[in-house]
Amino acid sequence: MQTEAGAKDTRAQLINAAIDMFHEKGFQKTRVSDIVAAARVAQGTFYLYFKSKDDVFLHIAAEFKGLFAEVIEGADNLFAGTSADEIRANLLVFIRDLVRLYSENKKMAKLLFYESGQHDCSFRNTWQDLYLDFIDMTRRQLEQNRDSAFLSFEDAETEAAFLVGLFSRSLFYFIELKNDIDIETLSRRMTAFVLGGLSKQSASGGI
Amino acid sequence: MQTEAGAKDTRAQLINAAIDMFHEKGFQKTRVSDIVAAARVAQGTFYLYFKSKDDVFLHIAAEFKGLFAEVIEGADNLFAGTSADEIRANLLVFIRDLVRLYSENKKMAKLLFYESGQHDCSFRNTWQDLYLDFIDMTRRQLEQNRDSAFLSFEDAETEAAFLVGLFSRSLFYFIELKNDIDIETLSRRMTAFVLGGLSKQSASGGI
Amino acid sequence: MQTEAGAKDTRAQLINAAIDMFHEKGFQKTRVSDIVAAARVAQGTFYLYFKSKDDVFLHIAAEFKGLFAEVIEGADNLFAGTSADEIRANLLVFIRDLVRLYSENKKMAKLLFYESGQHDCSFRNTWQDLYLDFIDMTRRQLEQNRDSAFLSFEDAETEAAFLVGLFSRSLFYFIELKNDIDIETLSRRMTAFVLGGLSKQSASGGI
Amino acid sequence: MQTEAGAKDTRAQLINAAIDMFHEKGFQKTRVSDIVAAARVAQGTFYLYFKSKDDVFLHIAAEFKGLFAEVIEGADNLFAGTSADEIRANLLVFIRDLVRLYSENKKMAKLLFYESGQHDCSFRNTWQDLYLDFIDMTRRQLEQNRDSAFLSFEDAETEAAFLVGLFSRSLFYFIELKNDIDIETLSRRMTAFVLGGLSKQSASGGI
DNA sequence: TATGAATGAGTTTTCATTCAT
DNA sequence: AATGAATGAAAACTCATTCAT
């Protein structure tokens, strides 16, 4: 019924429909029949492109994971700098990239956030691995700057977990409640809060 | 099969089994037959104590929500104080209570965290309301101390979201990965990080 | 709806219904819905007793294979004897047992005969193994009597294959076409034909 | 994709692919997609040459049935002869033709053998009719020689069924297990065994 | 002739819930 | 209170066949 170009369309239609439905009803409550209805194709068509409902989820997850991993892996010396402003500027770039990624892929991001604990070990683990990678990358970058005149932390791992937790959870608050968040402002304030948490003063007890 | 005293036992067995199974497989993938098998009772027995699978989940959720709400509602003037140490001490008490609550109810906490986005509106909303209450309570307490010599924030809501996000997400990292976290140390460092994020210096740009 | 005794009934009902339907429509064309309709139980009930349609077939097959293997393994010195009559009497007992087995389990026998080439390797192989065992047992018993004054054959394996082929295929002719075959007569004539095929005269060319 | 000459090729490719797949997986478990994959043509191409999956099976069956019927119908006075050797020679020609037919069309023969009990009445019946024709032809030829000095049988039908059963079943043993059977030897020994079974001596009780 | 994406009716399978004992 | 076999509605999934290109 469609040309080769159509095939790509159908696949994309199905993925978009799946994202919409998963987002709206959750993975488990979404029926394959919901997806094909939203994509306006027949039931069987779904199985031309995906082995199962799990399979389409995995494809969606893999795509977002790829985007996410890119940002994580591209991060370099987040906390380096010979002045507070330089550090802040470095960190801001990274945080802004992440905020942008989440807000440009709201549905996917939310979907994966909530579904990450629900799936097969294979998926659950790769997703958790990514989260752990995020923490670990942050920890390493902190440790590279253990001697910084501006930073203070105990074992780096703990502070990295705080940072990543703050980031990944609070973003949902803004994404779910504010339809159009101001990426620039949010990134700046998140950067400020995080650096405050890591600053010499806070650790030294002088608040 | 059981004495009169056994009735309470059976109900508790079912609830514990349900927590275990929901925690292990997620709500949707857990079958009533999994729960009764874990509780070592017959299939029909389940329905003597709960109206449905949803019902037992709601009971579990309600219990944790009650404990959680208690801590939230008990919080009073978290950020008040005439010295940095006094503020820190106040905040520490609250954070320690929460950390303790989570670590004493690991499975429930994790379960509700992951399922919070999954359920029928009735539950989803009450749970999200609690989360929003948490943020709102934090916001109000921040605003009460807008003139504090030690604190600095813009609209309070944003900082409250950071704080709650940091708390609720990073705890999972510690709970899932570290079998025995040191509540005292973790609370202290979380307090320090949060106060750093809210401190005058960080906001003023001096890091 | 039924007592424990009922459980056995239900299982037996399902097996009988399955045998009837497989026999009537063939394994592949039989739907689980045909079986449950014939057994007068609900669709889901089937899955309380069997994992799948394949599973119930395997149970049926295993039962018949057990009966069949018993007869095969019980055979002893079929071709021994110091007179033609003695040999004939020995062989007759065995053949009569087999004819009886088939005619008492017509549907199962026919079912397995036709379906034996259709199933998973595991089943296909065990079934073929039984057939090969039948041939091999016959071959061994022939070879034990290679020096018999009354028997003549070249490599025994070939004659064993003839004998088993004659038996297993021609029985279907009688079972399918004659509703009540005379077990006694058929066994006697089959014995006579087989012994004729193995007799000295036939091999020596004197017919 | 193919030249005019290619059309014949495509049809032949499809038939060969179908024989291979039916032989390997059975008719029911073979999907049209298996056949077209094996034939290396597109899904739709199949329907240019055959009306349905059943149709291609029927074509295959018809071809083998034609070959088979030729041999059956060509048989003439199999058991006639004024000496044992003459009878044996006559019978040998016929049996050798059949053995050759089977061994030259192994897959088709095996396929039809196993599927003969599976199909819609139209095919099942025509195939079974052929089998019954085989038996009936044999019976008639036996009866034509009821007065033979060399043959002995009771009702001819029974002996015919033995003979045909022996032939059609034991051949599978040799075809499936021995990759290269010796047609000449097998035919000779089958002839000898059959004639032994029909000989005066065996029937008279002298073995 | 050839293609292969699309179809949808027809199956298998699952599992929360009921109810007779 | 407890049991566990039975239920059947609701899904997931298959695959022969069609048809626009």
Side-chain angles (χ1 to χ4, degrees):
Chain A
M1 199 178 249
Q2 274 161 316
T3 66
E4 287 205 6
K8 271 231 162 62
D9 283 357
T10 304
R11 194 174 194 282
Q13 272 166 40
L14 282 166
I15 286 195
N16 287 330
I19 290 173
D20 286 348
M21 298 312 295
F22 289 158
H23 180 255
E24 187 181 313
K25 314 177 71 168
F27 174 81
Q28 296 286 355
K29 292 214 168 166
T30 296
R31 314 293 157 211
V32 173
S33 61
D34 295 326
I35 299 172
V36 296
R40 299 195 170 265
V41 296
Q43 189 86 358
T45 303
F46 179 87
Y47 293 93
L48 290 179
Y49 296 94
F50 305 101
K51 280 211 300 288
S52 63
K53 197 172 65 149
D54 271 271
D55 191 39
V56 73
F57 179 82
L58 258 28
H59 277 274
I60 293 169
E63 192 184 329
F64 188 73
K65 277 165 62 183
L67 296 171
F68 191 73
E70 244 175 60
V71 176
I72 298 295
E73 283 156 17
D76 184 44
N77 232 348
L78 296 182
F79 304 102
T82 54
S83 73
D85 283 344
E86 199 183 338
I87 297 180
R88 183 186 298 111
N90 277 337
L91 189 57
L92 181 60
V93 170
F94 173 71
I95 286 185
R96 192 165 42 203
D97 282 351
L98 272 184
V99 172
R100 204 193 315 272
L101 175 66
Y102 270 59
S103 55
E104 282 172 358
N105 299 279
K106 284 180 191 184
K107 285 180 185 172
M108 270 208 252
K110 193 182 154 206
L111 176 57
L112 294 182
F113 182 77
Y114 281 125
E115 301 291 347
S116 62
Q118 306 291 320
H119 286 269
D120 277 351
C121 281
S122 66
F123 167 71
R124 188 183 194 143
N125 291 345
T126 56
W127 182 254
Q128 284 192 357
D129 283 352
L130 196 60
Y131 186 75
L132 297 185
D133 279 353
F134 189 1
I135 292 178
D136 200 52
M137 180 276 290
T138 308
R139 179 191 58 72
R140 272 183 288 110
Q141 304 236 357
L142 277 172
E143 281 176 352
Q144 278 173 26
N145 295 281
R146 178 169 287 283
D147 302 326
S148 167
F150 306 99
L151 299 177
S152 162
F153 47 85
E154 294 186 28
D155 66 1
E157 183 191 346
T158 301
E159 276 77 10
F162 290 165
L163 198 157
V164 171
L166 180 158
F167 174 80
S168 73
R169 188 69 167 105
S170 67
L171 258 185
F172 281 100
Y173 175 74
F174 300 110
I175 284 174
E176 282 212 55
L177 270 74
K178 324 273 180 184
N179 273 345
D180 59 332
I181 58 173
D182 176 349
I183 294 177
E184 208 51 47
T185 304
L186 184 60
S187 306
R188 180 179 53 75
R189 294 177 64 187
M190 206 179 268
T191 305
F193 190 98
V194 163
L195 282 183
L198 294 168
S199 73
K200 275 265 189 293
Q201 293 86 340
S202 79
S204 66
I207 299 200
Chain B
M1 195 183 247
Q2 273 160 319
T3 67
E4 295 246 333
K8 269 230 160 61
D9 283 356
T10 303
R11 192 173 196 283
Q13 272 166 38
L14 282 166
I15 287 192
N16 287 330
I19 290 173
D20 285 349
M21 297 313 296
F22 288 156
H23 178 257
E24 188 180 313
K25 313 176 73 168
F27 174 82
Q28 296 283 358
K29 290 212 168 163
T30 294
R31 287 167 286 157
V32 173
S33 62
D34 294 325
I35 298 172
V36 296
R40 298 189 172 271
V41 297
Q43 191 88 354
T45 304
F46 180 88
Y47 292 90
L48 294 176
Y49 295 94
F50 303 101
K51 278 213 304 287
S52 64
K53 194 172 77 153
D54 273 88
D55 190 39
V56 73
F57 180 84
L58 258 26
H59 275 276
I60 293 168
E63 190 185 332
F64 188 73
K65 276 165 65 182
L67 296 171
F68 191 74
E70 243 174 62
V71 177
I72 298 295
E73 284 156 16
D76 184 44
N77 233 346
L78 296 181
F79 303 102
T82 52
S83 73
D85 282 346
E86 197 183 341
I87 297 179
R88 183 187 298 109
N90 277 337
L91 189 57
L92 181 61
V93 171
F94 173 72
I95 286 186
R96 189 165 44 203
D97 283 350
L98 273 184
V99 172
R100 199 191 318 268
L101 175 66
Y102 269 60
S103 56
E104 282 171 356
N105 298 281
K106 284 181 189 184
K107 284 181 184 172
M108 270 207 253
K110 194 181 153 208
L111 171 58
L112 295 181
F113 182 78
Y114 280 125
E115 299 294 344
S116 63
Q118 304 292 322
H119 281 270
D120 280 348
C121 285
S122 66
F123 167 71
R124 184 182 194 148
N125 290 346
T126 57
W127 182 256
Q128 284 192 356
D129 284 352
L130 196 61
Y131 187 75
L132 297 185
D133 281 352
F134 189 2
I135 292 179
D136 200 53
M137 181 275 289
T138 308
R139 180 190 57 72
R140 273 183 287 110
Q141 304 235 356
L142 276 173
E143 281 177 351
Q144 280 172 25
N145 296 279
R146 178 168 286 283
D147 301 326
S148 166
F150 307 100
L151 300 177
S152 163
F153 47 86
E154 293 186 29
D155 65 1
E157 184 191 346
T158 302
E159 276 75 11
F162 289 165
L163 198 156
V164 172
L166 179 158
F167 174 81
S168 73
R169 189 73 167 102
S170 67
L171 259 185
F172 282 100
Y173 175 75
F174 300 109
I175 283 175
E176 283 213 55
L177 271 73
K178 321 277 178 184
N179 274 343
D180 58 334
I181 57 174
D182 176 348
I183 294 176
E184 209 51 47
T185 305
L186 185 60
S187 305
R188 179 180 55 74
R189 294 177 64 187
M190 204 178 269
T191 304
F193 191 96
V194 163
L195 282 183
L198 294 168
S199 75
K200 276 266 188 298
Q201 292 86 339
S202 77
S204 68
I207 299 199
Chain C
M1 198 178 248
Q2 272 159 317
T3 66
E4 288 207 6
K8 271 230 162 63
D9 283 355
T10 303
R11 194 173 194 281
Q13 271 166 41
L14 282 167
I15 287 195
N16 287 330
I19 291 172
D20 286 348
M21 298 311 297
F22 288 159
H23 179 255
E24 187 179 314
K25 314 177 71 168
F27 174 82
Q28 296 287 355
K29 291 214 168 162
T30 295
R31 313 294 156 212
V32 173
S33 61
D34 295 325
I35 298 172
V36 295
R40 299 196 170 263
V41 296
Q43 191 83 358
T45 303
F46 179 87
Y47 293 92
L48 290 179
Y49 295 94
F50 304 101
K51 280 211 300 287
S52 63
K53 199 173 63 150
D54 272 89
D55 191 38
V56 73
F57 179 83
L58 258 28
H59 276 274
I60 293 168
E63 193 185 327
F64 187 72
K65 277 165 62 182
L67 296 171
F68 191 72
E70 243 174 61
V71 176
I72 298 296
E73 284 156 17
D76 185 44
N77 233 348
L78 297 183
F79 303 102
T82 53
S83 73
D85 284 343
E86 199 184 340
I87 297 180
R88 182 185 300 110
N90 276 337
L91 189 57
L92 181 60
V93 170
F94 173 71
I95 286 187
R96 192 165 40 204
D97 282 350
L98 272 184
V99 172
R100 203 193 315 270
L101 175 66
Y102 270 59
S103 55
E104 282 172 357
N105 300 279
K106 285 181 189 183
K107 286 180 184 172
M108 270 209 251
K110 193 181 154 206
L111 176 58
L112 295 182
F113 182 77
Y114 280 125
E115 302 292 348
S116 64
Q118 306 291 322
H119 286 269
D120 277 351
C121 282
S122 65
F123 168 70
R124 188 183 194 143
N125 291 345
T126 56
W127 182 254
Q128 285 192 357
D129 283 352
L130 196 59
Y131 186 74
L132 296 185
D133 279 352
F134 189 2
I135 293 178
D136 200 52
M137 181 276 289
T138 308
R139 179 190 58 74
R140 273 184 287 111
Q141 305 237 357
L142 277 174
E143 281 176 352
Q144 279 173 26
N145 296 281
R146 178 170 287 283
D147 301 328
S148 168
F150 307 99
L151 300 177
S152 164
F153 47 85
E154 294 187 28
D155 65 1
E157 184 191 346
T158 302
E159 277 75 11
F162 290 163
L163 199 155
V164 171
L166 180 159
F167 174 81
S168 73
R169 189 72 166 102
S170 67
L171 257 185
F172 282 100
Y173 175 75
F174 299 110
I175 283 174
E176 282 210 58
L177 270 73
K178 324 273 180 186
N179 272 345
D180 59 332
I181 58 174
D182 176 348
I183 295 177
E184 209 50 49
T185 304
L186 184 61
S187 306
R188 180 180 54 73
R189 296 177 64 186
M190 205 178 268
T191 304
F193 191 98
V194 163
L195 282 183
L198 293 168
S199 75
K200 276 267 191 293
Q201 293 86 338
S202 79
S204 66
I207 297 199
Chain D
M1 194 183 246
Q2 274 160 319
T3 67
E4 295 246 332
K8 269 231 160 59
D9 284 355
T10 304
R11 193 172 196 281
Q13 273 165 40
L14 281 166
I15 286 193
N16 287 331
I19 290 172
D20 285 349
M21 298 311 298
F22 289 156
H23 178 257
E24 188 180 314
K25 314 176 72 167
F27 175 82
Q28 296 283 358
K29 289 211 171 164
T30 295
R31 285 167 287 156
V32 173
S33 62
D34 294 324
I35 298 171
V36 295
R40 297 188 174 272
V41 298
Q43 191 88 354
T45 304
F46 179 88
Y47 291 90
L48 294 175
Y49 295 93
F50 304 101
K51 278 212 306 286
S52 64
K53 196 173 75 153
D54 273 88
D55 190 37
V56 72
F57 180 84
L58 257 26
H59 276 274
I60 294 168
E63 191 185 331
F64 187 73
K65 276 166 64 182
L67 297 170
F68 191 74
E70 245 175 60
V71 177
I72 298 295
E73 284 157 15
D76 184 43
N77 232 347
L78 297 182
F79 303 102
T82 53
S83 74
D85 282 345
E86 198 183 340
I87 297 179
R88 183 187 297 111
N90 277 337
L91 189 57
L92 181 59
V93 171
F94 173 71
I95 286 187
R96 189 165 44 203
D97 283 350
L98 272 184
V99 172
R100 201 192 317 269
L101 175 67
Y102 269 60
S103 56
E104 282 171 358
N105 298 280
K106 285 181 190 184
K107 284 180 185 172
M108 270 207 255
K110 193 181 155 208
L111 172 57
L112 296 181
F113 182 78
Y114 280 125
E115 300 294 343
S116 62
Q118 304 291 320
H119 281 272
D120 280 347
C121 286
S122 65
F123 167 70
R124 184 182 193 146
N125 290 345
T126 57
W127 183 255
Q128 284 192 357
D129 283 352
L130 196 62
Y131 186 75
L132 296 185
D133 280 353
F134 189 2
I135 291 178
D136 200 53
M137 180 276 288
T138 308
R139 180 189 57 72
R140 273 183 286 110
Q141 305 236 356
L142 276 172
E143 281 177 350
Q144 280 172 26
N145 296 280
R146 177 168 286 284
D147 302 327
S148 167
F150 306 99
L151 300 178
S152 163
F153 45 86
E154 294 186 27
D155 65 359
E157 184 191 347
T158 301
E159 275 76 9
F162 289 165
L163 199 156
V164 172
L166 179 158
F167 174 80
S168 72
R169 189 73 166 104
S170 67
L171 258 185
F172 283 100
Y173 175 75
F174 299 109
I175 284 175
E176 283 213 54
L177 271 73
K178 322 276 179 184
N179 274 343
D180 60 333
I181 57 173
D182 177 347
I183 293 176
E184 207 53 47
T185 303
L186 184 60
S187 306
R188 179 181 54 75
R189 295 177 65 188
M190 205 179 268
T191 304
F193 191 96
V194 163
L195 282 183
L198 293 169
S199 75
K200 275 266 190 295
Q201 292 86 340
S202 79
S204 68
I207 299 199

